[in-house]
Amino acid sequence: MESISVLMTWPMSSYLETELEKRFKLLKLWSYPSLADFVKENEYVNSVKAVVGDTRIGADAQLIDSLPGLEIVSTYSVGLDKIDLRKCKQKGIRVTNTPDVLTDDVADLAIGLILAVFRRLCVCDGFVRNGSWKKGDFALTTKFSGKSVGIVGLGRIGSAIAKRAEAFGCKISYLSRTEKPYPNYKYYSNILDLATDCEVLVVACALTEETFHIINRQVIDALGPKGIVINIGRGCHIDESELVSALMEGRLGGAGLDVFEREPEVPEELLGLENVVVLPHVGTDTYETCDAMADLVVQNLEAYFQNKPLLTPVV
Ligand code: NAP
């Protein structure tokens, strides 16, 4: 397989890079100023058979059209929103992702964000570090156990969040396109009804045309000044400017965000708010999970080029 050219879109994991280099001829898109420069200058461009991308740079129409020999996209992510799936289907390009291996980490982080927002963990930490504790006690915060939790998208990650929240004594409700076989969880087919009936709204669905800005002004207002929103899905699930105004105006109780509309840009206004916790898209970023994701990317490519069934096929 050493003669097979694989294009990696940016340096997402040094372990993955090493494992790919052991098996394939690895080309690095980030060694070139732009895709156009790569296409112009790299002598192997026509022989690239595989692309390895992720949530930052995936495989859009322009990249796919630049690689005439492309046969497979193996993404280092479970989300598929950075891949032009329609074009892949049209051109018969196979697509794989990394489901399941990352579910626990993202669900753990969602619970961490809920606790951090309600119990003001980051502010508390600063309070101790800057010596304020010596001058008096920290303010009271809000209890998480027993709250009603609404989950947008009860897939692998959404279900793992629900399971964890149940252990905190929370009442679980969810929105998805079809009702799931969980008798203890209340199903909603309408996001406004879900938001009205919960205190914590967690976004865990796939980003599609339908779920773009699914959390809009109306949804935020339905959640209300005591409610909090947690986003471990994708930034574009939330209308960010509406979120910012709701938080500034006190119409929403707080937010815990791992993802943003224009990463790595984060709205300046959020940085001054104590009821907001912002993370740099680290849902899956543990040693254990990143290595497991990398292994799955490589195993899918090996399976494809050895004419074996793909481990986690999407298309
Ligand atoms: P999954 O198992 O495919 O779950 C996605 C869920 O979204 C499905 O259960 C689907 O439910 C629901 N959904 C799709 N369209 C919907 C709609 N219009 N309304 C309501 N629900 C809808 O995927 P997963 O493994 O749980 O991952 C979910 C997402 O998490 C990924 O797509 C990714 O964007 C994000 N993620 C983020 C991080 C991070 O670092 N923050 C890491 C990993 C993943 P129905 O089909 O029943 O509607």
Side-chain angles (χ1 to χ4, degrees):
M1 287 192 290
E2 281 121 42
S3 61
I4 297 171
S5 299
V6 173
L7 177 67
M8 201 169 172
T9 59
W10 82 285
M12 55 204 84
S13 146
S14 52
Y15 170 70
L16 174 56
E17 220 174 297
T18 309
E19 291 305 305
L20 289 171
E21 264 164 349
K22 280 184 198 163
R23 296 163 175 83
F24 303 101
K25 174 161 186 49
L26 185 64
L27 309 178
K28 300 173 184 179
L29 189 56
W30 66 94
S31 306
Y32 296 81
S34 69
L35 174 61
D37 291 296
F38 170 73
V39 170
K40 204 162 61 185
E41 290 169 28
N42 193 289
E43 58 186 302
Y44 297 102
V45 66
N46 291 338
S47 68
V48 171
K49 290 193 170 173
V51 162
V52 172
D54 76 342
T55 56
R56 190 178 283 223
I57 306 177
D60 61 11
Q62 201 193 356
L63 182 81
I64 295 169
D65 284 337
S66 306
L67 304 170
L70 186 62
E71 295 178 15
I72 180 166
V73 174
S74 182
T75 183
Y76 177 71
S77 67
V78 69
L80 301 164
D81 45 286
K82 286 289 169 74
I83 302 173
D84 192 326
L85 288 177
R86 208 170 293 151
K87 194 167 264 295
C88 287
K89 277 182 203 154
Q90 269 168 12
K91 293 194 153 194
I93 296 166
R94 303 299 308 274
V95 176
T96 64
N97 64 346
T98 60
D100 298 315
V101 293
L102 46 68
T103 298
D104 282 340
D105 271 351
V106 185
D108 291 352
L109 198 78
I111 299 296
L113 277 170
I114 298 172
L115 285 167
V117 173
F118 274 142
R119 302 299 302 269
R120 301 280 196 266
L121 296 183
C122 304
V123 188
C124 280
D125 179 87
F127 189 80
V128 176
R129 287 172 197 264
N130 69 21
S132 297
W133 194 16
K134 297 199 177 89
K135 296 176 214 145
D137 287 342
F138 193 76
L140 297 184
T141 60
T142 303
K143 180 173 177 172
F144 169 44
S145 287
K147 287 273 184 295
S148 52
V149 174
I151 299 176
V152 183
L154 201 70
R156 289 170 289 246
I157 294 172
S159 308
I161 295 168
K163 192 169 137 196
R164 284 158 175 73
E166 267 190 300
F168 283 80
C170 296
K171 194 183 87 183
I172 309 295
S173 48
Y174 68 97
L175 170 92
S176 60
R177 290 168 301 183
T178 52
E179 192 165 352
K180 312 290 176 208
Y182 295 111
N184 295 340
Y185 303 166
K186 189 168 179 194
Y187 172 64
Y188 287 90
S189 58
N190 180 309
I191 183 83
L192 273 181
D193 293 340
L194 177 75
T196 306
D197 283 357
C198 70
E199 295 158 295
V200 182
L201 189 65
V202 186
V203 185
C205 60
L207 178 63
T208 62
E209 278 167 22
E210 265 177 54
T211 63
F212 177 86
H213 283 189
I214 190 167
I215 310 299
N216 56 22
R217 187 182 177 104
Q218 268 184 304
V219 174
I220 291 170
D221 286 342
L223 198 52
K226 290 201 166 162
I228 68 167
V229 66
I230 302 296
N231 191 4
I232 50 77
R234 288 286 181 262
C236 289
H237 282 131
I238 301 185
D239 183 333
E240 214 163 67
S241 59
E242 287 296 346
L243 178 75
V244 169
S245 15
L247 287 162
M248 304 283 288
E249 292 159 20
R251 286 186 285 112
L252 181 67
L257 310 166
D258 184 41
V259 286
F260 301 86
E261 282 205 74
R262 282 168 285 275
E263 295 174 10
E265 299 301 324
V266 173
E268 193 70 30
E269 299 93 326
L270 294 183
L271 306 182
L273 296 175
E274 294 199 341
N275 53 347
V276 175
V277 176
V278 288
L279 303 181
H281 199 152
V282 289
T284 59
D285 289 0
T286 63
Y287 294 111
E288 296 88 342
T289 291
C290 285
D291 286 0
M293 289 165 66
D295 287 338
L296 197 45
V297 167
V298 172
Q299 286 158 10
N300 271 306
L301 290 177
E302 284 181 327
Y304 178 79
F305 290 113
Q306 290 166 358
N307 290 319
K308 291 182 182 161
L310 298 176
L311 283 84
T312 48
V314 176
V315 172

